Amino acid sequence: MTVVLACDLGGTSFRAVLVDQDGAALAESVVPGPVPVETLDRSEIDPAAWWSTFLAAATRLAEDRPDLFGKIRGIAICGVTRTQVYLGQDDRSLRPAMTWKDTRAEAAAARLRERLGDHPEAPRVNAFHPLARLAWLGEEEPETARALACVLEPKDYLNLRLTGRRAGDPVSMARLAACAQVVDGRDAFARAGLGAALLPPQREPHEPVGIVLPGLPEPLDRIAGVPVVCCSNDTWAAAAGLGALRDGYAYNISGTTEVLGMVGSEPVEADGLLTVDWGGVWQVGGPSQNGADTVSWLLSLLGRTGDPVGPATAALLDGDRDPQPLVFLPYLQGERVPYWNPALRGAFVGLNRRHGPADLAYAVLEGVAFANRLVLERAEAALGRPAVEIRFGGGAAANPVWCRIKADVCGRPVVVGEAREPGVLGAALVAWMGTGRFGSLAEAQERLVRPARRFEPDPARRAAYDGLYTIFRRAEAALAPISADLAALARGSGALPGMPAPATSGPEARAHA
């Protein structure tokens, strides 16, 4: 028996799985990911921490299943995107990577858009755009910017450490690659005072990057010479693992954050959404800032702990619900699609004295689903037809209540795949393609992806959610300016300091009595 090593570098954990030719996961290792260093608008991780995490996961697999570890025939790693690793000429990182949550480039993005002028990428430049972050580096860390030789995604950094070769894929690198388009004799890099040489060589998912180098730390020395195949970001891999990489299907990947989009056979534009060539098909959609992490926040707020889609959440949902629903705006960390606004803030709207934990829990799940519906509506309008179904994966797909809410809110069937980790299965499809087992991604999806559960929309609940969705959109519009004002207070001198603790004795203590 032979296997491939399929890995998913997530926002909070690193997952490494040995997968056989039938798509079965035979051994799995999950290691907590590095904790980012964060302030109000900063979010950074030392790339070396990802390498240490990869080694830890590989070591566990080798210890648990030494018989299988020696039979690895290919490696593919998918991972988080909108996160940049900055390398010098010697392939060493020059500074911590800026994660998908970092918003320090917001002001630099506004200045950059002016310099880009009529370049087609200019309207897409925002605080999360890789070129905006490069512009920020040029303004705030000019020495680092001058020493910069290449920009990689985290999964590509791991491939570099494994093979000694730089490479990226056209899906993960789509926004940075688009900057290389020449308009009136100049590309976006030149207009920003940068060089297009920062882009690594591009490989399609399933194309080889290189082979595992000899002399790497244990247990990687046991798999020296094994091919490392270029994969893509975790969204693309999960969509492949759900069988959603085909015309007319929508996908929803719900982990720490949500990613939703629809796949079409032609490129179309939709306000606030990303249109990316996924190799023969085009996706219209993109990532949000909120998902299961929002449920984690609620559990913490209520003094409860546990998996955000597990028993702790189920216990909340089992409680009685007040006849008057709440509306929840899920923008606890700003928002990417479709608003690309780091200043948006969350809110519960309509609280009354009778509302309890169950009401809050339902409002949170529904708020995230309403944000999904907004993205889906824009994608369907651009493509000119409704989605056949929504292929749903990630941690939240294990929660049947959330599945039903999404089906009812969006008015589309929601289908959950058999694979517990579709991103890992997608990486395995790519790895097996790299070994020659499958001739195409379509063939790999047909052979290895198996749906498990289907949730049809309930017409009565759909009608009720239509009314609540209208209120949700009105609340968004009404509170967005207030969110901006509150965010500005936090960045300026208007933030309120904490109250001093009262004295424990003396006149001041008597004054507080």
Side-chain angles (χ1 to χ4, degrees):
M1 176 186 293
T2 58
V3 296
V4 293
L5 174 57
C7 302
D8 186 353
L9 189 163
T12 57
S13 65
F14 186 90
R15 192 176 303 273
V17 185
L18 299 178
V19 182
D20 70 10
Q21 297 182 19
D22 295 320
L26 303 183
E28 180 180 53
S29 174
V30 183
V31 178
V35 178
V37 176
E38 295 183 337
T39 56
L40 179 65
D41 55 1
R42 170 192 178 205
S43 180
E44 297 181 334
I45 291 176
D46 181 356
W50 284 314
W51 178 246
S52 298
T53 302
F54 174 80
L55 285 176
T59 298
R60 288 188 185 179
L61 283 178
E63 291 173 349
D64 293 345
R65 293 299 304 268
D67 56 323
L68 289 178
F69 196 83
K71 296 179 180 178
I72 293 173
R73 293 296 175 263
I75 301 171
I77 307 171
C78 68
V80 292
T81 190
R82 293 277 174 165
T83 297
Q84 290 80 41
V85 179
Y86 303 102
L87 302 178
Q89 293 290 350
D90 59 358
D91 287 337
R92 295 181 182 273
S93 61
L94 298 171
R95 68 176 316 283
M98 298 175 74
T99 84
W100 51 273
K101 291 191 283 187
D102 197 297
T103 61
R104 284 174 290 177
E106 183 178 11
R111 293 187 288 271
L112 178 59
R113 286 193 295 271
E114 294 182 4
R115 297 204 298 275
L116 294 182
D118 61 350
H119 193 279
E121 192 64 12
R124 298 182 175 91
V125 171
N126 50 55
F128 308 99
H129 197 287
L131 193 68
R133 291 177 173 180
L134 287 170
W136 180 87
L137 278 180
E139 294 175 3
E140 302 295 329
E141 301 178 12
E143 290 186 9
T144 300
R146 285 192 292 270
L148 189 61
C150 184
V151 179
L152 292 180
E153 296 270 318
K155 53 96 176 172
D156 300 322
Y157 173 76
L158 295 183
N159 288 344
L160 171 66
R161 295 291 298 262
L162 284 169
T163 67
R165 294 185 179 181
R166 302 174 185 170
D169 73 280
V171 176
S172 301
M173 289 281 179
R175 298 278 53 87
L176 204 56
C179 295
Q181 181 179 347
V182 176
V183 178
D184 295 332
R186 301 177 71 205
D187 61 26
F189 289 102
R191 297 184 189 203
L194 302 165
L198 297 176
L199 269 172
Q202 299 293 285
R203 301 282 186 272
E204 293 291 337
H206 81 269
E207 290 184 342
V209 175
I211 61 172
V212 176
L213 295 169
L216 293 179
E218 293 185 352
L220 302 181
D221 54 343
R222 302 184 216 170
I223 54 174
V226 169
V228 176
V229 179
C230 186
C231 195
S232 190
N233 60 49
D234 48 2
T235 298
W236 184 95
L242 289 169
L245 282 186
R246 44 183 168 169
D247 184 31
Y249 281 69
Y251 67 87
N252 181 198
I253 316 302
S254 186
T256 303
T257 61
E258 295 266 317
V259 193
L260 188 139
M262 186 172 168
V263 178
S265 58
E266 297 178 356
V268 296
E269 295 294 328
D271 184 29
L273 308 190
L274 300 174
T275 301
V276 183
D277 183 354
W278 272 11
V281 293
W282 296 77
Q283 85 85 37
V284 186
S288 78
Q289 293 287 85
N290 308 283
D293 182 66
T294 313
V295 182
S296 295
W297 164 82
L298 179 65
L299 291 174
S300 175
L301 191 69
L302 297 176
R304 311 202 182 193
T305 59
D307 185 339
V309 295
T313 303
L316 290 180
L317 297 171
D318 280 343
D320 293 332
R321 192 175 187 187
D322 189 73
Q324 181 219 300
L326 287 172
V327 165
F328 176 68
L329 304 184
Y331 309 124
L332 302 181
Q333 304 180 93
E335 187 54 289
R336 289 184 283 180
V337 296
Y339 297 121
W340 301 101
N341 184 354
L344 285 179
R345 295 294 179 263
F348 283 105
V349 181
L351 280 166
N352 68 44
R353 187 64 180 79
R354 299 183 305 275
H355 283 136
D359 300 291
L360 300 179
Y362 272 104
V364 166
L365 299 191
E366 290 162 351
V368 174
F370 288 146
N372 294 154
R373 175 171 169 174
L374 175 58
V375 174
L376 183 63
E377 285 180 344
R378 294 191 182 190
E380 290 180 334
L383 288 164
R385 62 190 187 279
V388 174
E389 60 190 33
I390 302 172
R391 292 292 179 99
F392 186 30
N399 186 322
V401 174
W402 211 344
C403 294
R404 293 189 185 96
I405 287 173
K406 285 176 181 279
D408 294 336
V409 166
C410 295
R412 303 289 178 266
V414 168
V415 178
V416 177
E418 187 177 280
R420 186 168 53 88
E421 297 294 337
V424 168
L425 179 58
L429 300 184
V430 168
W432 280 120
M433 285 179 64
T435 69
R437 175 165 176 77
F438 301 113
S440 68
L441 189 58
E443 179 190 357
Q445 289 182 103
E446 191 65 31
R447 294 279 298 277
L448 299 187
V449 177
R450 292 177 283 272
R453 292 174 293 161
R454 184 180 182 90
F455 299 84
E456 294 287 348
D458 180 281
R461 292 179 59 80
R462 164 70 174 179
Y465 275 136
D466 283 346
L468 197 58
Y469 177 64
T470 300
I471 298 171
F472 171 86
R473 296 301 311 280
R474 288 169 56 199
E476 281 187 316
L479 295 182
I482 298 174
S483 291
D485 291 342
L486 290 171
L489 284 177
R491 291 192 297 266
S493 59
L496 295 174
M499 294 294 293
T504 56
S505 62
E508 290 185 8
R510 288 191 294 273
H512 283 290

